[in-house]
Amino acid sequence: MASKRFRASTFGLLVVGALALALSACTSTMKDCSTGFAIVSPKEGATFKCYEENVPVQLTALSATFCTFAPKVYEVSVDGGAPISIPGTEGNPATVLKNLTPGDHTVTAVAKDAKGKVLAKCAAKFKCLPPPPPPPPAVVAPPPPPAPPVDLVAEAGKYLKDVFFDFDKSEIRADQKENVDAAAKWLRDHTTVGITVEGHCDERGTREYNLALGERRSNAVRDALVALGVDPAQIKTISYGKERPFCTEQPKEKDAKEACWQQNRRGHFVPAMR
């Protein structure tokens, strides 16, 4: 009976010893990542575009050998900087690293108990890529060269058509009003151009008479233009009488001679810049 009691006592001591060893394992410092936790992100050697994204840090607890690994807090730091604290009660401890410069970095995570004792420590190296170079400046095509200035004096000849008169008359004929209207419109649109209206006559009559007739003709054209809205300051008048004929032929036939005289009975426009 005494022998059985001795064996039972010995067995009890062994059980107590085993439990003591187990408790000793639970309270010992864990310095090996494999017996405490691991850094899931960033993975060793990972690269990030830190110029446009934060670096996520994710921790995960691993099964301990003898007891549950339950730190009070995790402290995460990068390159030995100020730590970020994460409660150990979180199932998947996580944080982010912000505003990292390009280059190689090391993230370190430390698990501590309630008394601040280090239970385990892990580290992982990663790299922040530099931002891409800015795009080259856009190629801006040079503006086209300015259009050459319009020669208004030359252009005026397309719109300022001479006004013809009947023999010994200074009234504007009905068939000549179209020319007067076109001239008035162009001059209203181009006030930087002025004109001289020349009064001309055919060769019949005295010099003095034709100078007076030419003056009446140039004045009649001027008055018609002013009545249509042309600035009077744009218009000058002069009479050449029969001194500057446009047709200088001397035909013998009556019709040809009249046609030549008709060309010389006119109000002629001479444009110039004001």
Side-chain angles (χ1 to χ4, degrees):
M1 179 65 68
S3 176
K4 289 182 178 181
R5 288 177 180 175
F6 175 78
R7 287 197 297 270
S9 176
T10 302
F11 177 76
L13 291 173
L14 290 174
V15 171
V16 171
L19 289 173
L21 288 173
L23 290 173
S24 175
C26 286
T27 58
S28 63
T29 299
M30 294 183 181
K31 295 183 179 180
D32 184 358
C33 289
S34 63
T35 60
F37 72 100
I39 297 177
V40 179
S41 175
K43 292 184 180 297
E44 182 74 21
T47 58
F48 296 89
K49 297 177 180 179
C50 301
Y51 54 87
E52 65 179 18
E53 63 180 344
N54 297 324
V55 177
V57 177
Q58 179 74 52
L59 311 178
T60 184
L62 302 176
S63 298
T65 304
F66 296 106
C67 61
T68 302
F69 179 71
K72 181 69 175 178
V73 68
Y74 291 96
E75 292 183 351
V76 176
S77 62
V78 61
D79 300 331
I84 303 170
S85 295
I86 309 171
T89 55
E90 293 188 10
N92 294 296
T95 187
V96 292
L97 305 176
K98 302 179 180 180
N99 304 320
L100 297 180
T101 59
D104 295 325
H105 297 281
T106 300
V107 60
T108 302
V110 177
K112 293 183 177 181
D113 63 14
K115 295 181 179 180
K117 184 179 180 180
V118 175
L119 303 178
K121 181 178 181 180
C122 289
K125 294 182 178 180
F126 64 96
K127 186 172 186 177
C128 283
L129 300 176
V139 178
V140 179
V150 177
D151 187 347
L152 292 178
V153 172
E155 185 181 288
K158 302 175 184 178
Y159 304 93
L160 305 181
K161 304 297 183 182
D162 288 354
V163 178
F164 293 93
F165 295 87
D166 287 336
F167 172 66
D168 202 25
K169 302 291 183 182
S170 58
E171 296 80 19
I172 295 177
R173 300 188 327 222
D175 65 341
Q176 298 301 300
K177 289 184 178 180
E178 183 178 348
N179 287 355
V180 176
D181 290 344
K185 181 180 184 308
W186 193 89
L187 289 169
R188 289 196 306 268
D189 294 340
H190 301 84
T191 56
T192 58
V193 178
I195 58 168
T196 298
V197 182
E198 298 176 349
H200 293 272
C201 306
D202 64 34
E203 63 187 45
R204 290 171 289 183
T206 65
R207 178 177 182 275
E208 290 75 14
Y209 181 84
N210 282 309
L211 283 173
L213 179 58
E215 183 177 0
R216 292 197 299 274
R217 287 173 174 171
S218 63
N219 289 342
V221 174
R222 178 200 62 199
D223 294 344
L225 292 173
V226 172
L228 292 171
V230 178
D231 183 356
Q234 287 180 260
I235 309 171
K236 297 178 182 179
T237 60
I238 191 171
S239 173
Y240 288 109
K242 63 179 181 179
E243 304 302 318
R244 295 187 179 184
F246 286 82
C247 178
T248 57
E249 298 176 3
Q250 297 293 327
K252 295 180 179 180
E253 296 79 5
K254 180 179 178 180
D255 291 344
K257 187 176 292 188
E258 176 56 33
C260 183
W261 287 338
Q262 174 63 91
Q263 293 184 50
N264 294 332
R265 298 193 298 266
R266 68 170 75 194
H268 177 63
F269 297 105
V270 178
M273 300 302 296
R274 297 175 64 186

